[in-house]
Amino acid sequence: GAGGSAIGMAPGATWIAAKIFPDSGSATYSKIHAAFEWALDPNGYGNTGDAPQIVNNSWGIDQFNRCWTEFQPDLALLQKAEIAVVFSAGNDGPKLSTSSSPANCSGNLSVGSTNSSGAVSAFSSRGPSACDSSQTFPSLVAPGEHIRSAGLAGGYVVVDGTSFSSPHISGLLALLREADGATPVADLEVALEKSADDLGTLGPDNNSGAGLVNGLAAYRRLAGSPHLAVYDPAPPEFDRALPFGKLGTGSSLSRSLTLRNSGGGSLTLGNLDTTALDPVFTVSKDTCSNTTLPSDLTCELVVAFAPLAVTGYSGTLTMPSNDIDQNPLTIDLTGSGIDNASPALLQYDPSNRTLAFGSVAPGSAARLVLTISNGGEKLLTISPVLASNLTAPFAIALDECSSKSLAGQESCRIEFSFSPTALQDYLDTLPISTNAGQLSLTLKGLGNHAPSQASPLTPVNGATGLDPATVTLSWQPATDSDGDTVTEKVSLSEVTIAPGVLLGAGIIQNAAIPPLLPAGLIMLAGLIACSMAWRRRPNLASLALLTAITVAGGACGGGGGGDATPPPAPSSTSSTYTAANLKAATTYNWLVISTDSHGATSESPTWQFTTR
């Protein structure tokens, strides 16, 4: 609290840290394995009660939509020892299929980021998990945008990144463990997910997982008490308010409220009180009054709004319950009547009516989203979207829009998947009909393997004292299993650090910050939190285009988390690029970007050198 308000999640907690990343920013697998081994027995004297209760990891392998199981045995041992394992989901959003390992490996609690409005942060990585496409990713979300934190150089900084979301969950687990030290870790994690405030569409999804963590609801669930959760379709979905927006007089619009018992004991609901409602609001469906809901069960209220005049309307729904904190439950309703409303206007994103999935390796999948919006004021009614009109490998993964009416400025989403089975081009169209016209959506994609990673060779990573007049970079070029032509570029950038940036802990806006100081394993209150930085490459200052080379064969290789073995020696097949007239006494990052003739890309690990 020295800065005027408290920071952190678990007052009085204790922690320890293992620094597995050197200042150059890339760790070897062997050091990470050693850190996990140390976490099981920090003092090295066997079973002396010093093992942590929670391991928080704010790091990951710098390749998204890949499944790396290198550390799965380590994590399994931690979990077997009743140690909770929490991972930052990553900062590669907002596109779907941007999960990273080890966060996307089974058994881990992965945490995405939300902003102060409760919406999922644009940078937060999305699912599905590359290790199990049937699982949503992340597990849940927590605050990770504009977070006030302690700075390395003293004072406070405001930071962004899922590196700050996962410690919220680790701290909350510490509080729950303090309140109840006997509950198994698996039950604690289930309580967090089952009690989270649902975001987006009802139910778990690949943007927010189970939803926004709710500490009080998780505590009530573990304590065997009921907790009344309310979901409405208008963001923020948990605010116990139902806005209808602007609606033309003489029109009617219905909205649904879902009440759920996210606690651990039975939730008893009384009779719904509508006496404070204006007559323009009517309850057309009520399965909640005078009911008892066991844990995880739901009921529904449907409210209609039919304005009679050009004016604003408001009202309140009230329902008694045995919820300790919400008796009675109150829900605020608002809406406005407008005259001469503009017609419904069909709008959509992408605006070019095309979803281009690009290159996707056969046997894997990618997902893209179509957003449909009403840019007018009268209701936009969307007809059922028929998935049968699409042919494989295109499919509808999520549909929020079919048979839905959108008020002015409202929107809905349809998520499409592309799972090619062969090396070829794919093309399909899907008609979507509304009362404001028809959208003919084009879907296209290419079954194509990306090139393997190029492998940096010289100068060795972290080299110092290089002549700034000329520095020759060399690498083993990428190969392409499809036989495509591969063009390679060198990206060379100065390492710059924005003032006040907390190094290695996430992305601060889009500052060009290298992952210099990952923080290590943190233990909270006899609990550990492995808080190494989520590694992101810095902004790239320049690209040097190299001669295209034709390569065939080989396989994707390299691990963004660093290899346990040293890089191979330069060979006669290596490629080179000479950088001239660099700045003296300056550190540079460099990597190789490989692009095949169909547009698929891969990136080598990022290496550093410093001039004299």
Side-chain angles (χ1 to χ4, degrees):
S5 62
I7 61 171
M9 281 291 293
T14 58
W15 62 277
I16 58 177
K19 181 178 177 180
I20 62 173
F21 287 87
D23 290 355
S24 61
S26 294
T28 61
Y29 286 173
S30 60
K31 286 187 177 180
I32 299 176
H33 286 304
F36 281 132
E37 182 178 354
W38 170 78
L40 286 169
D41 182 20
N43 68 7
Y45 295 119
N47 187 19
T48 55
D50 63 319
Q53 291 181 314
I54 300 148
V55 178
N56 180 83
N57 299 267
S58 291
W59 65 277
I61 295 175
D62 194 18
Q63 285 190 348
F64 63 78
N65 203 30
R66 297 282 297 274
C67 182
W68 298 88
T69 58
E70 172 74 22
F71 304 108
Q72 199 64 358
D74 308 74
L75 302 174
L77 286 174
L78 292 173
Q79 292 155 358
K80 186 176 181 180
E82 277 296 293
I83 298 172
V85 179
V86 184
F87 270 90
S88 299
N91 304 321
D92 290 300
K95 287 187 177 181
L96 297 171
S97 300
T98 48
S99 73
S100 296
S101 296
N104 57 10
C105 293
S106 60
N108 298 330
L109 200 63
S110 55
V111 188
S113 170
T114 58
N115 59 27
S116 58
S117 299
V120 178
S121 300
F123 58 75
S124 187
S125 291
R126 268 73 164 175
S129 167
C131 293
D132 184 356
S133 60
S134 66
Q135 296 296 313
T136 57
F137 180 92
S139 305
L140 39 70
V141 290
E145 193 169 342
H146 299 298
I147 302 301
R148 187 167 179 260
S149 181
L152 289 178
Y156 297 89
V157 291
V158 177
V159 289
D160 296 337
T162 58
S163 288
F164 309 102
S165 304
S166 57
H168 278 91
I169 301 300
S170 295
L172 178 54
L173 283 169
L175 296 176
L176 296 176
R177 176 59 77 206
E178 181 183 10
D180 180 3
T183 301
V185 166
D187 292 345
L188 291 176
E189 294 177 351
V190 167
L192 288 179
E193 295 185 33
K194 292 290 188 180
S195 62
D197 291 327
D198 207 336
L199 303 179
T201 55
L202 189 61
D205 58 59
N206 284 310
N207 291 293
S208 61
L212 177 61
V213 66
N214 185 324
L216 178 60
Y219 175 76
R220 296 287 183 232
R221 188 179 183 94
L222 292 168
S225 301
H227 190 272
L228 176 54
V230 180
Y231 173 88
D232 71 76
E237 295 87 344
F238 50 84
D239 62 349
R240 289 155 178 73
L242 195 60
F244 285 87
K246 297 178 180 180
L247 191 64
T249 56
S251 301
S252 179
L253 179 63
S254 293
R255 286 285 181 261
S256 176
L257 289 163
T258 300
L259 276 57
R260 177 171 66 96
N261 180 10
S262 62
S266 294
L267 175 67
T268 302
L269 301 173
N271 191 53
L272 181 67
D273 184 357
T274 61
T275 56
L277 280 185
D278 189 286
V280 297
F281 298 105
T282 56
V283 178
S284 59
K285 182 179 181 180
D286 177 5
T287 64
C288 298
S289 287
N290 303 311
T291 61
T292 297
L293 298 177
S295 293
D296 302 325
L297 290 193
T298 64
C299 62
E300 184 182 24
L301 299 173
V302 177
V303 182
F305 172 55
L308 300 174
V310 181
T311 187
Y313 297 92
S314 62
T316 303
L317 289 173
T318 305
M319 177 173 282
S321 77
N322 66 334
D323 185 307
I324 299 172
D325 311 292
Q326 300 176 85
N327 185 21
L329 166 70
T330 58
I331 299 171
D332 296 322
L333 282 66
T334 57
S336 297
I338 56 175
D339 204 2
N340 299 318
S342 61
L345 177 62
L346 173 62
Q347 296 178 326
Y348 40 85
D349 182 35
S351 58
N352 62 1
R353 305 189 181 199
T354 300
L355 288 178
F357 289 87
S359 293
V360 177
S364 59
R367 300 194 181 197
L368 291 175
V369 171
L370 170 73
T371 301
I372 297 177
S373 304
N374 181 8
E377 294 170 333
K378 292 184 178 178
L379 292 180
L380 174 67
T381 303
I382 304 171
S383 301
V385 180
L386 301 179
S388 59
N389 286 336
L390 282 177
T391 56
F394 299 107
I396 294 177
L398 175 69
D399 182 2
E400 300 176 357
C401 297
S402 284
S403 304
K404 186 169 184 177
S405 293
L406 301 178
Q409 311 310 312
E410 285 191 321
S411 63
C412 61
R413 307 182 328 140
I414 305 177
E415 182 180 320
F416 295 88
S417 65
F418 172 55
S419 306
T421 57
L423 298 170
Q424 66 180 65
D425 289 301
Y426 294 90
L427 184 69
D428 205 351
T429 58
L430 178 68
I432 300 175
S433 299
T434 76
N435 64 331
Q438 179 169 294
L439 164 64
S440 181
L441 180 69
T442 298
L443 299 92
K444 64 180 183 180
L446 172 67
N448 176 50
H449 294 96
S452 67
Q453 284 185 309
S455 299
L457 297 173
T458 59
V460 297
N461 192 21
T464 59
L466 302 185
D467 184 357
T470 57
V471 176
T472 299
L473 313 174
S474 71
W475 66 93
Q476 287 185 334
T479 60
D480 190 90
S481 59
D482 303 330
D484 293 338
T485 299
V486 176
T487 301
E488 295 192 318
K489 300 177 181 180
V490 169
S491 168
L492 182 65
S493 65
E494 294 180 37
V495 176
T496 57
I497 302 174
V501 165
L502 178 61
L503 296 183
I507 294 303
I508 316 300
Q509 303 302 330
N510 286 314
I513 45 177
L516 293 182
L517 288 175
L521 286 152
I522 296 179
M523 283 187 194
L524 304 170
L527 63 157
I528 201 186
C530 186
S531 176
M532 298 148 247
W534 184 269
R535 285 165 294 122
R536 287 284 298 243
R537 57 185 177 274
N539 291 341
L540 306 178
S542 61
L543 291 175
L545 179 62
L546 302 177
T547 304
I549 57 175
T550 302
V551 292
C556 284
D563 294 321
T565 56
S571 70
S572 59
T573 61
S574 65
S575 297
T576 62
Y577 169 72
T578 299
N581 300 319
L582 300 178
K583 293 181 180 179
T586 301
T587 298
Y588 288 88
N589 284 328
W590 70 280
L591 58 84
V592 179
I593 303 171
S594 306
T595 305
D596 71 15
S597 53
H598 289 101
T601 64
S602 65
E603 294 180 0
S604 73
T606 300
W607 280 20
Q608 283 188 341
F609 65 84
T610 302
T611 56
R612 64 173 181 262

